[in-house]
Amino acid sequence: MLAPLLALAIFVVAFWFLATERANKVKTVLVAAGLMTLLGLTPGVQIFYSEHEGIDWNVIFLLLGMMVIVGVIKQTGLFDFLAIWAAKRSKGKPFRLMVMLMVITGVASPVLDNVTIIMLVAPVTLVICDRLEIAPQPFLIAEVLASNIGGAATLIGDPPNIIIGSRAGLTFNDFLVNMAPIVLVIFALFVLFTKFLFRKDLRANHMRLDKVMALQERRAIKDTGLLLRSMVVLALVIVGFCLHSVLHVAPSIVALLGAGTMLLVTNVDVAEVLPEVEWPTLVFFMGLFAMVSGLVHTGVIGWLGDAAVNLFGDDFFLAATGLLFGSAILGAFVDNIPYTATMTPVVEDMAAQAPDADTGRALWWAFALGACFSGNGTAIAASANVVAIGIAQRAGHAISFWRFTRYGIVVTLLSTAIAWVYVWLRYF
């Protein structure tokens, strides 16, 4: 009984440091993970190999590969080109620009994944805002929220869906039919809601707009040949992401192969690309996964799942409600990837006790919606959040834990409430 309490205590203290930003986030998770390891609360050496109780290397290497790819593309001047183009099309109006960026992000996230699209869109956003001399933080936060909503629509759009689809035997088309309709509705409402949500942050710099409108975006491209080769490789990587379940190749392998191919065909200087990798972000994820493994290994999360099974009994609509709201809340505090990996066996057991297959699947869809939307709950709830915050901090535009969370938690609650109505009307 002492081990779960110790693991929970260490996690709560570490989360407090992350939330209050009293200490560097990388130091915090590494110290917490180290304490759990010294006290025997993690699975020891298995933390490097266990799929459910260890570091998720698929996430780490997916991020690493995409960071290298983005680093090469950055040298072509494409981000500057897109930034000038978007700034001119929006005529410098912040809300119009925000909508453009959110739509691009939301449409691309179901096809790529929310982490990848944030890594591609965030650099463009920083350049646009720099050109217009406006604060980029609201735009980055809006893009992350949009990516986490949009990514919920498909099997490959959000890592929790990949985990759920594999465990429950759900196909790409299953997700498209069951998840995409409500995601479209929530995304449309979210875009409208951002006008109110960010109303105090959307101020235009009209003095700067005239200079931006006079710029020629084509002049931003530094090397046309390098750009063409990079775009071919990026297109192949995107195809690989879309077909990974057919090819039986993990997205992380696709990203690493794409990074290697990008370096090979572009012949860029590796020493210039590696500094573009967000090493602190990768280390933070490894520490966070190790820290959460203590909760998994000592049975804290499993206990919560068993308590849920006993609580709901034979009321499967109540069970779906509990999975939806419970996942939205818990996933926001422990990162929705390890949370989903840990809870899938619990949901599988609950679905097996359902009176029919349709009811069992309804539990899976409620769980998927809650797990995906939980990604907007806090600054550390999803990989895309951490990546965007890391990119912003590196560019000198820090986004605090609470600045992100005060927007994200509102969006999570509203999204989950709408999803609950959808689950009730469609499945019960």
Side-chain angles (χ1 to χ4, degrees):
M1 185 62 186
L2 181 60
L5 292 176
L6 278 174
L8 185 60
I10 292 172
F11 180 86
V12 170
V13 172
F15 190 86
W16 180 81
F17 275 104
L18 292 173
T20 59
E21 299 180 322
R22 294 291 182 89
N24 179 274
K25 66 180 183 181
V26 176
K27 291 180 181 178
T28 298
V29 295
L30 290 181
V31 169
L35 280 174
M36 286 191 176
T37 303
L38 287 173
L39 295 172
L41 305 176
T42 62
V45 71
Q46 287 301 312
I47 202 170
F48 297 106
Y49 306 107
S50 175
E51 183 178 356
H52 300 296
E53 293 188 0
I55 298 171
D56 193 332
W57 294 109
N58 283 317
V59 174
I60 302 299
F61 288 118
L62 170 64
L63 292 174
L64 175 60
M66 290 309 301
M67 285 175 182
V68 172
I69 290 172
V70 170
V72 174
I73 295 175
K74 189 176 181 180
Q75 295 189 22
T76 66
L78 178 64
F79 294 147
D80 290 291
F81 172 88
L82 293 173
I84 296 170
W85 179 87
K88 292 172 73 173
R89 293 299 179 279
S90 67
K91 300 187 184 302
K93 295 181 179 179
F95 180 64
R96 184 183 296 183
L97 177 61
M98 182 176 281
V99 171
M100 286 178 61
L101 293 171
M102 285 191 299
V103 170
I104 291 171
T105 305
V107 170
S109 290
V111 180
L112 293 171
D113 64 82
N114 49 12
V115 176
T116 301
I117 190 59
I118 285 299
M119 292 180 65
L120 294 172
V121 174
V124 178
T125 304
L126 289 170
V127 177
I128 295 173
C129 294
D130 181 62
R131 295 280 189 179
L132 292 173
E133 294 185 1
I134 55 178
Q137 289 93 333
F139 298 89
L140 290 171
I141 293 172
E143 289 162 12
V144 172
L145 299 177
S147 73
N148 287 330
I149 293 172
T154 67
L155 173 68
I156 62 174
D158 207 356
N161 284 355
I162 298 174
I163 298 169
I164 291 169
S166 175
R167 187 85 183 201
L170 300 170
T171 66
F172 186 92
N173 288 337
D174 289 332
F175 276 87
L176 203 61
V177 170
N178 290 274
M179 297 283 281
I182 187 59
V183 168
L184 284 171
V185 172
I186 291 173
F187 183 79
L189 294 174
F190 166 70
V191 170
L192 296 175
F193 184 56
T194 52
K195 179 74 171 178
F196 166 80
L197 195 65
F198 296 100
R199 64 190 182 282
K200 294 181 180 179
D201 301 304
L202 300 177
R203 295 190 180 97
N205 186 338
H206 298 290
M207 298 294 291
R208 185 64 176 162
L209 180 58
D210 292 338
K211 296 180 181 179
V212 172
M213 294 299 289
L215 293 173
Q216 297 296 319
E217 54 263 42
R218 291 186 180 181
R219 294 182 180 178
I221 301 299
K222 301 173 184 176
D223 189 330
T224 305
L226 177 62
L227 175 61
L228 291 174
R229 293 193 297 273
S230 299
M231 290 299 97
V232 170
V233 175
L234 179 61
L236 291 174
V237 169
I238 292 173
V239 171
F241 284 147
C242 295
L243 299 178
H244 82 92
S245 59
V246 176
L247 301 173
H248 303 292
V249 178
S252 57
I253 301 300
V254 174
L256 287 176
L257 289 173
T261 305
M262 185 78 84
L263 292 173
L264 183 65
V265 302
T266 58
N267 199 31
V268 298
D269 187 349
V270 177
E272 294 181 7
V273 175
L274 289 182
E276 297 295 331
V277 175
E278 297 285 337
W279 298 109
T281 299
L282 297 180
V283 175
F284 174 78
F285 269 117
M286 286 186 272
L288 182 63
F289 282 129
M291 189 173 74
V292 172
S293 75
L295 298 182
V296 178
H297 186 66
T298 57
V300 173
I301 295 182
W303 177 83
L304 291 172
D306 292 339
V309 173
N310 295 328
L311 177 65
F312 301 134
D314 295 330
D315 190 335
F316 289 96
F317 175 62
L318 182 62
T321 301
L323 283 172
L324 178 61
F325 285 97
S327 297
I329 295 169
L330 291 175
F333 291 94
V334 297
D335 188 286
N336 59 4
I337 296 175
Y339 168 78
T340 303
T342 304
M343 283 297 293
T344 45
V346 177
V347 180
E348 186 175 37
D349 183 57
M350 294 173 69
Q353 299 177 37
D356 54 71
D358 289 340
T359 303
R361 286 201 169 191
L363 297 181
W364 281 114
W365 299 128
F367 177 51
L369 288 166
C372 289
F373 293 153
S374 74
N376 283 333
T378 67
I380 64 167
S383 305
N385 310 9
V386 178
V387 170
I389 290 171
I391 293 173
Q393 184 170 2
R394 186 170 184 172
H397 300 287
I399 300 173
S400 70
F401 179 94
W402 286 111
R403 181 169 188 179
F404 182 96
T405 303
R406 75 169 181 257
Y407 294 116
I409 198 166
V410 173
V411 173
T412 296
L413 291 174
L414 291 176
S415 301
T416 307
I418 296 169
W420 177 77
V421 175
Y422 171 76
V423 169
W424 173 51
L425 292 175
R426 179 161 184 178
Y427 302 110
F428 295 96

